[in-house]
């Protein structure tokens, strides 16, 4: 009897252990495939909104518009109507990839010395906090352009889920509670922002219902009057009023004059893949291209995703690519971007010659620069959508820093971006992400600031197989590059590729960043012995991706670093 009990106990324990191991493995290895639609965003609420649109007969473009507005409500650290972004589209009808630029622009009153004091020094925080840090928002015009060119549902219906989320509220998640609490002091500076995010002296807690009536009214105006509901009339009056009160520069003319731009995507091959990504004013596509093309000839047989030799090679390649980023790139309507030259194979062959596989290079010998800024944030958000017809949207948008300029437009309920900091506010001086820039990215009226956002679509033999992108400031490009390499060269599953600990080098500061807790001491020591200055960074960036197999079945993955969700049906 005792023995029987013991055996039952043993088998129950074994079953329990198998269940736990199974669940743990499931989250990383079992990929669920879907035939009809797939959405991956940084918010489970927004993912559900996107799926509902698809199920209601909308296409991927409709869903992307609804997600964009929903994230503006339920993911305010980066989702927005007060910022801007970029999107790549694959149209099943034409078989073509197109790229939309709805990046913010500098106001007409902006000038290249606007953040400098009388001695030519950079005024601390001037390009980061408050109204003067904001560029003219492009998001509403961008989402409207998507709907106009590709959408199948009524504009108003695409805003309905967001209006409801703002008007009747949604339940605050643990993740949202944590980011809000972390930034509580900064969100308390402006009374308009306090009124939304720090009501009664505290930021919203997990489990509370968070209602945003003024934002609901703004979205309602956009729903009724499309772009006029934002760029002219009451919302525009509220934005300009906010500028006047807080010494900002955006005028009615800036708002009514804002235009999106269609751009030719960056295209290059990597192994047997055709990679399409965002051209300037994002540096994302061309720097991603440089990284992957520089690394392509190397034989990976002796590398693993964790091997110090691979991490070293990756860092050396990035050192070269980011050195080019600082000098050559800016808004193509203002600066010559030598894209063909930067991706030219003879040029990349010559650059590759300086890579030493045994020892770290010296960034100051490659170019010039100034010391690292200590405070960095890696905000922005990316989402992907695919529908049954085969259409794909890969969209990144941002208010730059977490919660942007920290200034809410009084009466309109949304945060303004602090994207002006993505300009080189003074050539050679590092921005929020430690990136330095030059003349190509200096401030000028109506100019778009250089970005790192890298919405990407990858094709194989003429069919889309992957769509991805990330948050992470300057670390966006390396995050996307690592994921593509992990999939193409290490054959990791999509989820494993996304969850793998990250590493980053951006030329200046001359530092190899390793994600904290992701690499053991032997790996770090090996990299230090190669001459790298190694620093650990808390978990950064936030990748959302989808993959399509040979049978047109879709699987998605959302980064656990920021609590997003991939789902399909
Ligand atoms: N604001 C971050 C980026 O556009 O790269």
């Amino acid at each position: 009897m005792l023995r029987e009990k013991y055996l039952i106990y043993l088998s129950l324990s074994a079953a329990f252990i198998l269940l736990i191991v199974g669940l743990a493995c499931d989250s990383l290895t079992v990929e669920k495939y879907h035939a009809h639609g797939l959405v991956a965003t940084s918010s489970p609420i927004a993912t559900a909104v996107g799926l509902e649109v698809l199920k209601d007969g909308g296409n991927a473009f409709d869903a992307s518009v609804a997600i964009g507005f929903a994230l503006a409500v339920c993911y305010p650290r980066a989702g927005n109507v007060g910022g801007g972004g970029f999107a790549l589209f694959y149209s099943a009808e034409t078989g073509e990839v197109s790229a939309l630029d709805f990046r913010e622009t500098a106001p007409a009153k902006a000038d290249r010395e606007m953040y400098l004091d009388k001695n030519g020094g950079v005024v601390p925080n001037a390009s980061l906090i408050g109204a003067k840090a904001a560029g003219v928002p492009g998001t509403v015009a961008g989402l409207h352009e998507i709907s106009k060119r590709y959408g199948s549902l009524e504009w108003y219906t695409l805003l309905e889920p967001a209006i409801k989320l703002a008007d009747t509220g949604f339940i605050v998640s643990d993740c949202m509670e944590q980011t809000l609490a972390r930034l509580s002091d900064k969100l308390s500076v402006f009374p308009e922002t306090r009124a939304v995010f720090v009501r009664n002296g505290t930021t919203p807690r997990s489990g509370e219902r968070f209602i945003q009536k003024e934002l609901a009214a703004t979205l309602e105006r956009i729903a009724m009057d499309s772009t006029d509901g934002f760029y002219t009339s009451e919302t525009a009056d509220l934005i300009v009023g906010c500028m006047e009160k807080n010494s900002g520069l955006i005028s009615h003319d800036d708002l009514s004059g804002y235009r999106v731009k269609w751009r030719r995507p960056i295209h290059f091959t990597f192994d047997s893949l055709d990679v399409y990504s965002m051209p300037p004013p994002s540096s994302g596509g061309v720097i991603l291209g440089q990284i992957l093309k520089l690394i392509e000839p190397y034989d990976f047989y002796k590398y693993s995703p964790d091997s110090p030799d691979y991490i070293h090679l990756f860092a050396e390649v990035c050192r070269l690519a980011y050195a080019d980023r600082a000098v050559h790139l800016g808004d193509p309507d203002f600066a010559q971007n030598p894209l063909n030259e930067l991706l030219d194979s003879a040029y990349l062959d010559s650059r590759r010659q300086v890579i030493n596989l045994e020892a770290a290079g010296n960034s100051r010998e490659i170019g010039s620069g100034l010391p690292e800024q200590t405070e960095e944030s890696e905000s922005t958000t990316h989402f992907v959508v695919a529908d049954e017809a085969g259409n794909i949207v890969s969209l990144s948008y941002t208010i730059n820093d977490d919660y942007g300029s920290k200034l809410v437009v009084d009466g309109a309920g949304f945060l303004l971006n602090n994207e002006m900091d993505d300009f080189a506010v003074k050539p050679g001086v590092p921005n929020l992400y430690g990136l330095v820039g030059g003349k190509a990215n200096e401030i000028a009226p109506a100019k778009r600031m250089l970005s790192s956002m890298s919405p990407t679509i990858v094709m194989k033999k003429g069919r889309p197989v992957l769509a991805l992108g990330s948050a992470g400031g300057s670390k966006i490009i390396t995050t996307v590059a690592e994921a593509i390499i992990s999939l193409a060269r290490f054959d990791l599953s999509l989820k494993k590729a996304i969850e793998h600990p990250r590493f980053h080098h951006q030329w200046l500061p001359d530092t190899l960043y390793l994600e904290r807790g992701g690499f053991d001491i032997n790996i770090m020591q090996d990299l230090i012995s190669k001459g790298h200055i190694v620093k650990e960074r808390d978990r950064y960036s936030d990748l959302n991706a989808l993959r399509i197999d040979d049978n047109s079945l879709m699987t998605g993955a959302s980064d656990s670093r920021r609590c997003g969700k991939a789902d399909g049906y």
Side-chain angles (χ1 to χ4, degrees):
M1 188 64 182
L2 202 62
R3 187 165 176 274
E4 265 169 26
K5 270 191 181 163
Y6 180 65
L7 284 176
I8 290 171
Y9 170 78
L10 265 188
S11 32
L12 283 176
S13 305
F16 181 70
I17 289 166
L18 281 175
L19 180 71
I20 296 296
V21 171
L23 285 177
C25 292
D26 184 56
S27 66
L28 282 183
T29 58
V30 176
E31 304 198 294
K32 288 188 195 143
Y33 282 84
H34 305 276
H36 305 294
L38 199 291
V39 178
T41 84
S42 296
S43 154
I45 298 172
T47 296
V49 165
L51 278 180
E52 272 315 301
V53 172
L54 293 177
K55 286 178 186 169
D56 286 349
N59 59 26
F61 310 109
D62 295 314
S64 73
V65 174
I67 291 167
F69 284 116
L71 285 168
V73 180
C74 63
Y75 193 69
R77 70 183 284 189
N80 69 82
V81 291
F86 303 111
L88 249 73
F89 311 101
Y90 174 76
S91 159
E93 197 181 316
T94 62
E96 280 171 8
V97 179
S98 52
L100 181 66
D101 164 1
F102 52 100
R103 183 73 160 162
E104 299 93 326
T105 54
K109 287 192 215 114
D111 72 71
R112 68 191 185 130
E113 291 179 0
M114 64 187 279
Y115 299 114
L116 305 185
D117 60 24
K118 60 181 185 325
N119 300 317
V122 177
V123 180
N125 285 329
S127 61
L128 287 170
I129 307 281
K132 206 175 170 187
V136 182
T139 292
V140 174
L143 296 180
H144 187 257
E145 182 74 10
I146 298 172
S147 170
K148 194 174 81 180
R149 176 169 288 203
Y150 292 120
S152 65
L153 299 182
E154 288 295 320
W155 172 248
Y156 187 92
T157 56
L158 303 179
L159 277 113
E160 271 175 341
I163 294 170
K164 189 162 173 228
L165 283 167
D167 190 42
T168 59
F170 63 92
I171 302 301
V172 173
S173 65
D174 290 348
C175 279
M176 186 170 165
E177 174 187 309
Q178 283 157 23
T179 43
L180 280 166
R182 180 167 54 81
L183 291 169
S184 163
D185 287 351
K186 289 184 175 174
L187 293 169
S188 299
V189 171
F190 298 104
E192 304 86 331
T193 311
R194 258 199 324 269
V196 176
F197 292 110
V198 202
R199 295 172 199 163
N200 306 318
T202 56
T203 46
R205 295 294 142 100
S206 171
E208 273 176 28
R209 180 167 289 276
F210 185 52
I211 294 171
Q212 301 168 85
K213 290 283 182 194
E214 288 180 345
L215 179 56
T218 297
L219 293 168
E220 185 75 44
R221 288 191 290 276
I222 298 168
M224 297 307 289
D225 293 333
S226 65
T227 49
D228 281 348
F230 187 85
Y231 291 99
T232 63
S233 66
E234 190 179 339
T235 314
D237 290 345
L238 291 168
I239 296 172
V240 174
C242 168
M243 293 292 136
E244 283 163 1
K245 184 174 160 205
N246 295 284
S247 311
L249 300 183
I250 299 173
S251 68
H252 276 291
D253 284 350
D254 289 325
L255 289 165
S256 60
Y258 182 85
R259 295 290 178 271
V260 301
K261 306 237 170 172
W262 287 94
R263 309 271 185 199
R264 182 203 290 266
I266 295 282
H267 169 237
F268 60 91
T269 58
F270 175 64
D271 295 348
S272 58
L273 304 171
D274 280 282
V275 182
Y276 293 85
S277 193
M278 197 66 210
S282 180
S283 62
V286 69
I287 300 305
L288 178 66
Q290 282 203 331
I291 294 171
L292 294 179
K293 295 303 287 180
L294 281 166
I295 223 163
E296 192 176 31
Y298 290 92
D299 197 337
F300 270 47
Y301 78 95
K302 59 180 181 197
Y303 297 153
S304 74
D306 292 312
S307 60
D309 287 345
Y310 163 55
I311 298 170
H312 167 69
L313 170 63
F314 186 85
E316 292 309 299
V317 155
C318 292
R319 187 195 303 279
L320 296 171
Y322 276 79
D324 275 342
R325 183 195 190 279
V327 182
H328 298 293
L329 299 175
D331 183 343
D333 299 332
F334 288 74
Q336 277 285 342
N337 288 273
L339 300 180
N340 292 336
E341 290 83 345
L342 288 170
L343 289 171
D344 176 68
S345 36
Y347 172 66
L348 294 174
D349 287 346
S350 72
R351 294 290 272 172
R352 212 177 286 113
Q353 298 309 310
V354 306
I355 295 176
N356 180 337
L357 289 177
E358 305 303 326
N362 181 337
S363 290
R364 278 164 208 286
E365 283 170 9
I366 290 172
S368 66
L370 289 167
E372 172 187 14
Q373 213 176 292
T374 49
E375 188 182 350
E376 287 186 58
S377 157
E378 283 102 12
S379 205
T380 296
T381 190
H382 182 82
F383 59 85
V384 287
V385 193
D387 65 25
E388 191 169 6
N391 300 304
I392 296 174
V393 178
S394 184
L395 188 152
S396 302
Y397 75 153
T398 187
I399 39 178
N400 193 21
D401 203 0
D402 268 333
Y403 301 94
S405 64
K406 316 292 184 288
L407 176 61
V408 164
V409 177
D410 200 10
F414 65 86
L415 284 156
L416 286 166
N417 67 82
N418 60 356
E419 221 70 61
M420 291 297 284
D421 188 66
D422 273 350
F423 281 116
V425 295
K426 180 176 176 180
V429 173
N431 74 354
L432 173 68
Y433 305 109
L435 291 166
V436 291
K439 202 163 170 48
N441 190 31
E442 70 183 12
I443 302 172
K447 188 174 175 182
R448 285 150 146 93
M449 54 297 284
L450 189 62
S451 171
S452 297
M453 288 190 281
S454 311
T456 298
I457 292 177
V458 179
M459 316 261 292
K460 191 170 181 177
K461 296 184 185 150
R463 295 180 55 252
V465 291
L466 178 68
L468 75 170
S470 180
S474 59
K475 297 178 176 67
I476 291 172
I477 310 170
T478 49
T479 298
V480 171
E482 280 163 42
I484 293 175
I485 294 169
S486 289
L487 292 165
R489 290 284 174 101
F490 297 122
D491 208 20
L492 298 191
S493 70
L494 191 61
K495 187 68 180 163
K496 276 192 176 162
I498 288 183
E499 295 304 326
H500 191 269
R502 294 185 176 137
F503 33 90
H504 174 79
H505 201 296
Q506 61 180 48
W507 174 57
L508 290 175
D510 192 346
T511 303
L512 172 56
Y513 295 102
L514 301 179
E515 217 170 28
R516 196 182 307 286
F519 301 90
D520 72 34
I521 190 72
N522 297 325
I523 296 175
M524 285 197 235
Q525 270 167 357
D526 191 318
L527 290 163
I528 291 166
S529 73
K530 285 180 164 60
H532 288 285
I533 300 160
V534 171
K535 268 194 193 165
E536 284 192 291
R537 279 298 314 268
D538 287 334
R539 285 155 65 90
Y540 60 82
S541 60
D542 178 35
L543 206 142
N544 285 299
L546 65 85
R547 212 173 179 184
I548 304 170
D549 74 4
D550 292 345
N551 301 313
S552 301
L553 293 174
M554 303 166 249
T555 187
S558 185
D559 212 311
S560 69
R561 292 167 179 84
R562 292 205 192 156
C563 318
K565 184 170 181 185
D567 203 359
Y569 73 108

